[in-house]
Amino acid sequence: ATMDIASGKEDSAPFIVWRGLQMIDIDYFKGEPYELADWIKSRLDRFGVPITNFVFDSGGHGYWVQSLTNGIGVAVNRKTVQEYDEFGNPTSTHLEFFNLRSQLMGKLEVMLKKGDLSCAIPKDKKVPFRKNETARFFDVLCDGIELFRVTSRNKKTYYYSKDEFKERFKYSPGEMDAISLRMYLELDTRKRKQPKPVIEDDAYDDLYSTPPRMYRGYF
């Protein structure tokens, strides 16, 4: 799951659920900032998403989800991160980009053009749009294409920011930002260490309550 953290008042706060590289559900937070962490936990539980598979924008309102310590907080305005190929070899791709946000958008653009991403969310689904309005999910994504405009800063590739988009369209492109956060997990294609399995307290009760069966020379 990925989420562009926001207050849900002035800017939309989309929470996207993924199955692999397919978007299967989207929901939006509306409420007070202190309610955000519990709201996220309820959505993760609903879809059976472990907190270790939750990626969120840790800047700004990300302060309110600091309790989700096992989630993956991403500060998109910071420097780029090292990328690895499927064989675990470091690449120099990250050196091309101005910051981490541009790196994520660059990765997203490549994967979209290759057809690696898909969406099972109905394109006519109504989603929050500007103030007290709604729009089709498909139309909001089409507006988001504007975010793939690039220029150069310090001789590095720079993708237009959320603020630059907002100045033109008068709303925040939270959906595309939440989608780009999914790319953070694709920058390192090495097999990630999985959390240790949880063993329940009563897991071995049957072992000790069942009388041993006798075998020849063994029990």
Side-chain angles (χ1 to χ4, degrees):
T2 59
M3 185 174 186
D4 180 37
I5 304 295
S7 66
K9 294 181 178 179
E10 293 184 2
D11 295 333
S12 65
F15 177 95
I16 298 177
V17 181
W18 299 78
R19 181 183 291 115
L21 289 171
Q22 182 183 60
M23 292 180 283
I24 63 171
D25 191 77
I26 188 169
D27 202 353
Y28 292 80
F29 171 73
K30 289 287 185 181
E32 298 299 327
Y34 64 83
E35 300 173 320
L36 184 54
D38 287 340
W39 184 90
I40 291 172
K41 289 177 183 177
S42 72
R43 295 306 182 276
L44 293 174
D45 290 343
R46 176 183 174 186
F47 288 94
V49 179
I51 187 66
T52 50
N53 284 0
F54 174 55
V55 186
F56 63 94
D57 177 9
S58 60
H61 286 279
Y63 168 84
W64 294 102
V65 294
Q66 288 184 347
S67 62
L68 305 179
T69 54
N70 289 328
I72 304 173
V74 178
V76 297
N77 289 325
R78 294 186 179 178
K79 66 179 183 179
T80 58
V81 298
Q82 179 68 62
E83 293 190 41
Y84 295 86
D85 62 22
E86 59 183 322
F87 303 107
N89 301 312
T91 70
S92 59
T93 309
H94 65 292
L95 299 176
E96 303 172 9
F97 297 99
F98 178 75
N99 57 12
L100 179 54
R101 184 181 187 283
S102 292
Q103 184 182 9
L104 294 175
M105 290 298 295
K107 185 73 171 180
L108 176 58
E109 182 173 8
V110 169
M111 297 194 74
L112 284 171
K113 288 180 175 179
K114 289 171 59 181
D116 291 336
L117 273 65
S118 62
C119 182
I121 302 170
K123 66 178 184 179
D124 291 328
K125 179 181 176 67
K126 296 293 185 180
V127 298
F129 179 74
R130 297 196 176 109
K131 289 186 177 181
N132 303 317
E133 297 180 49
T134 60
R136 294 194 310 161
F137 182 55
F138 178 79
D139 293 332
V140 170
L141 292 184
C142 287
D143 282 353
I145 294 174
E146 180 74 11
L147 288 167
F148 292 99
R149 292 175 57 192
V150 297
T151 185
S152 178
R153 286 194 178 181
N154 296 339
K155 298 182 180 180
K156 295 181 182 293
T157 301
Y158 172 82
Y159 281 77
Y160 277 38
S161 71
K162 180 188 295 188
D163 289 339
E164 289 166 325
F165 177 99
K166 192 173 181 179
E167 184 177 349
R168 176 176 178 181
F169 288 92
K170 310 307 178 186
Y171 77 96
S172 180
E175 291 82 4
M176 197 61 74
D177 277 12
I179 293 171
S180 71
L181 286 171
R182 176 63 180 83
M183 297 300 99
Y184 189 80
L185 301 178
E186 301 302 312
L187 299 182
D188 184 352
T189 53
R190 299 173 299 177
K191 185 176 181 180
R192 287 182 292 277
K193 184 178 180 181
Q194 298 298 314
K196 294 181 179 180
V198 177
I199 301 176
E200 301 296 338
D201 293 338
D202 61 353
Y204 299 107
D205 286 359
D206 289 343
L207 210 70
Y208 297 105
S209 61
T210 303
R213 293 180 294 177
M214 301 299 292
Y215 296 92
R216 290 183 182 180
Y218 300 92
F219 63 92

